[in-house]
Amino acid sequence: MTTIALEQETRRVPRPAPAPIPLSRIASVELRKSFNTRSGFWLLASVGIAAVIATGAVLLFAPNDQLTYDTFGAAIGIPLSIILPVVAILSVTSEWSQRSGLTTFTLVPHRSRIVLAKGIVAVGTGVVSMVSALAIGALGNIVGSAIAGVPTVWDDGPAFLADVVLFNVLGMLVGFMLGLLIRNSAGAIVAYFVYSFVLPTLAMLLADSQQWFRDLQPWVDVTYAQSALVNGTMTGEQWANLGVTHLIWLVIPLIVGVRLVLRSEVK
Amino acid sequence: MIKVESLTKTYGAFTAVDDVTFTALPGRVTGFLGPNGAGKSTSMRIMVGLTPASSGFAEVSGRRFADLPNPGLEVGVLLDASAQHAGRTGREILTVAQQTMGLPSSRVDEMLDLVSLSPTESGRRVRNYSLGMRQRLGIATALLGDPEVLILDEPANGLDPAGIRWMRDLLRGYADQGGTVLLSSHLLHEIEVIADDLVVIGQGKIVAQGTKAELLRSAGTLVRTPNVQELANALTASGVSFAPSHATGSADALRVDAEAELVGKVAHLAGVPLVELRAAEGAGLEEMFLELTADTQRDGAAA
Ligand SMILES: Nc1ncnc2c1ncn2[C@@H]1O[C@H](COP(=O)(O)OP(=O)(O)OP(=O)(O)O)[C@@H](O)[C@H]1O
Ligand SMILES: [Mg+2]
């Protein structure tokens, strides 16, 4: 038996050990995976579609004196702040909900590399989507003011626009974190809405009635701290608020989520 | 080569895999056999790092799975053909794997060809695939990197007879070229025709392992008689061990751990008429399987 096995073994040409898979390749595959399902494709397409619809709506319905870049930016920002986190959530949870993780994590057994690649793709997608959407808004602003015969008003500067992009990227990272933590598409999307709509409302009610919480709120309420990004120029203290709240509500749960993913059973 | 050493997996108080040790050798097809819930899939998931072991370890080609630099090129894995994103086309699923492994894109067409998925079929979303088509796609994914080792969990599941035949020949060819093939099944007939070595598992524990020939040899003699009780007494009197057999589908048979000649003599001396007397191997592995797993199997009362 042994001799036969050895004889047969030599028939396979011995191959050199393959090179490790570079992270860039994993990231480009993850990018492909975010487009190559029907739902993924339409979700990303809806970013562009929503930006065009929002721009069109402003063109049609906004009074002439409000045809400024800020109006376009705000109109586009709202749908995107919902779509983009869902994109990030699904990029993670589909590996479990659709069970494709069985293949993904056997082809790349170091799950942290998959998580990192997905994170890079999510942030990249967020930045590219926001920049494209803001460009569509800029186009709308130029066209709108020309049609209405009013001067084109650029009331949002580059610093503010960068804050808006950051706001959306943070939203995506929150979605990403919840995806890792919950690993179920429906569950993570529900959790995202609780996180960004239900909790802030509760915090607002609490702040209205409790003075101590009102003082504390900027340091513990992550949505409150984020909202400063899109409400004008950030002060140093607001940046500090943003850092502290995201440490509590994003970084720590993200670490927990990654650890869970690394240890959990994929089946 | 696949080496599994004292592998144990517990879920709370329940032990799904219990101290499993075996080696799947290159150039051979190793059948991993066991009834439902025996722990085959769990063991295989541990081998490829999807499930952490509670203790023990598994090695593929001399390394832990996680230490393989590009696992797809060294180990072909098919655990569950349905575990794919339903919204992706078959071709896309292969392309994703091909790109991850860093292979030329022509490999995707080669594999689709190999598993007989037509261009129309490969352009369809997996949601609309039949079970057999999913299985073919899963086999294509496993073979994509031309690996030396194959780990396949019930690969024949859902394949039509021609497909089963094709897969059998394919795996045979793989092993004959020096590849290591480990495939699980709870269907004995399926594994009986293809495996060189067998690892039989029941309730997480290995109950038998060896070459198919060895295990068949140990299956003894099958004897059928209308006077089962008399023959049983005679066999006991001559110190030969035996067990009731269900190979014939009725309760009139015994499987005896002795040569046919001896059983014939005992029966003759006891004056017991025989209806049938032959090597139990003719009854196939099923007999052995049912017996080996009798006390660990769900329907164990049958034996
Ligand atoms: N996460 C889990 N928690 C508890 N028990 C589990 C878990 N995963 C698997 N098991 C149990 O482990 C046992 C082995 O399951 P496994 O899927 O490995 O069986 P199998 O041999 O592949 O069976 P089949 O032939 O039906 O595929 C089963 O009893 C199963 O219920
Ligand atoms: Mg199984």
Side-chain angles (χ1 to χ4, degrees):
Chain A
M1 180 188 101
T2 324
T3 44
I4 294 169
L6 285 177
E7 259 168 36
Q8 285 168 343
E9 208 172 357
T10 54
R11 279 186 229 158
R12 258 194 111 83
V13 190
R15 285 178 302 190
I21 306 173
L23 184 65
S24 58
R25 200 199 288 162
I26 303 175
S28 76
V29 169
E30 286 303 328
L31 179 64
R32 185 183 185 105
K33 280 162 73 179
S34 61
F35 282 98
N36 71 4
T37 65
R38 195 174 280 166
S39 53
F41 174 81
W42 284 108
L43 203 57
L44 283 169
S46 71
V47 169
I49 296 169
V52 170
I53 290 177
T55 305
V58 172
L59 285 176
L60 286 177
F61 305 121
N64 282 355
D65 60 335
Q66 279 178 31
L67 277 179
T68 71
Y69 191 45
D70 188 58
T71 313
F72 284 100
I76 291 170
I78 290 167
L80 258 60
S81 69
I82 294 170
I83 297 168
L84 290 176
V86 173
V87 170
I89 288 171
L90 293 183
S91 78
V92 177
T93 55
S94 67
E95 299 285 0
W96 279 267
S97 287
Q98 295 279 345
R99 302 186 57 224
S100 49
L102 250 74
T103 310
T104 308
F105 296 122
T106 40
L107 290 180
V108 183
H110 291 278
R111 299 183 195 172
S112 53
R113 304 186 78 209
I114 296 282
V115 171
L116 184 59
K118 283 183 187 292
I120 292 169
V121 169
V123 171
T125 309
V127 171
V128 170
S129 302
M130 282 310 297
V131 170
S132 322
L134 290 172
I136 293 174
L139 207 67
N141 192 27
I142 294 167
V143 172
S145 53
I147 292 172
V150 295
T152 316
V153 184
W154 300 103
D155 46 358
D156 285 342
F160 176 72
L161 293 181
D163 287 355
V164 171
V165 173
L166 178 63
F167 172 84
N168 281 280
V169 168
L170 286 175
M172 281 190 98
L173 287 176
V174 167
F176 188 71
M177 172 273 286
L178 291 171
L180 290 172
L181 215 49
I182 295 168
R183 300 191 301 276
N184 173 286
S185 300
I189 290 173
V190 169
Y192 180 77
F193 285 105
V194 170
Y195 185 105
S196 45
F197 297 105
V198 178
L199 289 183
T201 314
L202 294 179
M204 196 179 71
L205 292 174
L206 189 62
D208 280 349
S209 59
Q210 305 286 328
Q211 179 62 43
W212 64 267
F213 185 73
R214 202 176 315 152
D215 299 335
L216 199 63
Q217 194 176 18
W219 298 100
V220 293
D221 184 346
V222 64
T223 328
Y224 184 90
Q226 278 180 1
S227 62
L229 278 171
V230 286
N231 289 338
T233 335
M234 294 278 287
T235 66
E237 186 176 330
Q238 281 173 326
W239 281 114
N241 292 158
L242 203 66
V244 171
T245 51
H246 279 85
L247 181 70
I248 306 169
W249 291 95
L250 178 63
V251 178
I252 292 172
L254 192 64
I255 292 170
V256 174
V258 171
R259 291 184 77 96
L260 285 176
V261 165
L262 297 191
R263 286 172 183 192
S264 72
E265 193 178 16
V266 180
K267 58 195 303 186
Chain B
M1 188 167 99
I2 304 167
K3 193 174 160 209
V4 175
E5 190 74 49
S6 312
L7 208 61
T8 299
K9 175 69 190 176
T10 53
Y11 292 106
F14 176 71
T15 307
V17 178
D18 194 353
D19 197 25
V20 165
T21 302
F22 69 87
T23 304
L25 292 170
R28 301 183 69 84
V29 175
T30 305
F32 197 24
L33 204 59
N36 293 136
K40 304 180 293 293
S41 301
T42 307
S43 305
M44 287 179 147
R45 277 203 313 276
I46 297 175
M47 286 175 216
V48 302
L50 291 179
T51 292
S54 303
S55 67
F57 66 91
E59 279 181 354
V60 184
S61 304
R63 270 165 300 174
R64 306 286 175 101
F65 192 86
D67 295 333
L68 299 172
N70 192 341
L73 300 182
E74 298 183 66
V75 193
V77 181
L78 170 61
L79 291 182
D80 184 343
S82 298
Q84 288 297 352
H85 198 300
R88 233 167 241 144
T89 65
R91 169 176 285 278
E92 266 305 315
I93 285 173
L94 279 181
T95 305
V96 163
Q98 165 254 320
Q99 292 194 348
T100 308
M101 295 180 211
L103 294 167
S105 57
S106 59
R107 208 48 206 158
V108 171
D109 294 298
E110 283 171 40
M111 286 302 110
L112 287 170
D113 233 34
L114 181 73
V115 301
S116 316
L117 283 175
S118 71
T120 355
E121 289 169 336
S122 66
R124 225 174 268 164
R125 295 183 194 271
V126 168
R127 172 180 297 120
N128 303 320
Y129 269 31
S130 71
L131 179 58
M133 285 164 71
R134 281 170 207 223
Q135 207 69 33
R136 284 165 191 270
L137 183 67
I139 294 170
T141 314
L143 297 177
L144 193 62
D146 189 28
E148 280 150 15
V149 177
L150 289 176
I151 297 179
L152 312 172
D153 197 0
E154 314 212 5
N157 207 0
L159 291 181
D160 53 30
I164 292 182
R165 180 61 179 275
W166 160 80
M167 194 198 59
R168 201 184 289 158
D169 295 345
L170 181 111
L171 298 184
R172 184 75 264 156
Y174 234 79
D176 287 347
Q177 282 166 35
T180 306
V181 181
L182 177 68
L183 81 162
S184 78
S185 179
H186 52 254
L187 295 175
L188 290 137
H189 300 300
E190 191 180 284
I191 253 179
E192 183 177 8
V193 273
I194 179 175
D196 304 304
D197 297 324
L198 287 173
V199 177
V200 188
I201 183 174
Q203 288 194 1
K205 288 194 194 66
I206 289 189
V207 287
Q209 63 175 316
T211 65
K212 185 170 66 179
E214 274 166 19
L215 290 174
L216 279 174
R217 207 177 309 129
S218 69
T221 300
L222 183 88
V223 57
R224 251 174 84 195
T225 168
N227 306 347
V228 181
Q229 195 51 51
E230 268 176 58
L231 181 62
N233 293 342
L235 287 168
T236 314
S238 24
V240 181
S241 66
F242 61 90
S245 168
H246 301 273
T248 57
S250 54
D252 64 349
L254 296 176
R255 201 190 54 69
V256 188
D257 296 327
E259 296 290 307
E261 196 185 332
L262 177 67
V263 180
K265 266 185 195 151
V266 171
H268 176 69
L269 290 174
V272 178
L274 298 186
V275 182
E276 200 178 343
L277 177 67
R278 59 178 162 94
E281 121 183 48
L285 279 168
E286 184 134 30
E287 181 62 20
M288 180 203 87
F289 178 62
L290 283 172
E291 201 166 300
L292 286 171
T293 56
D295 37 335
T296 53
Q297 205 194 5
R298 268 161 218 284
D299 309 310

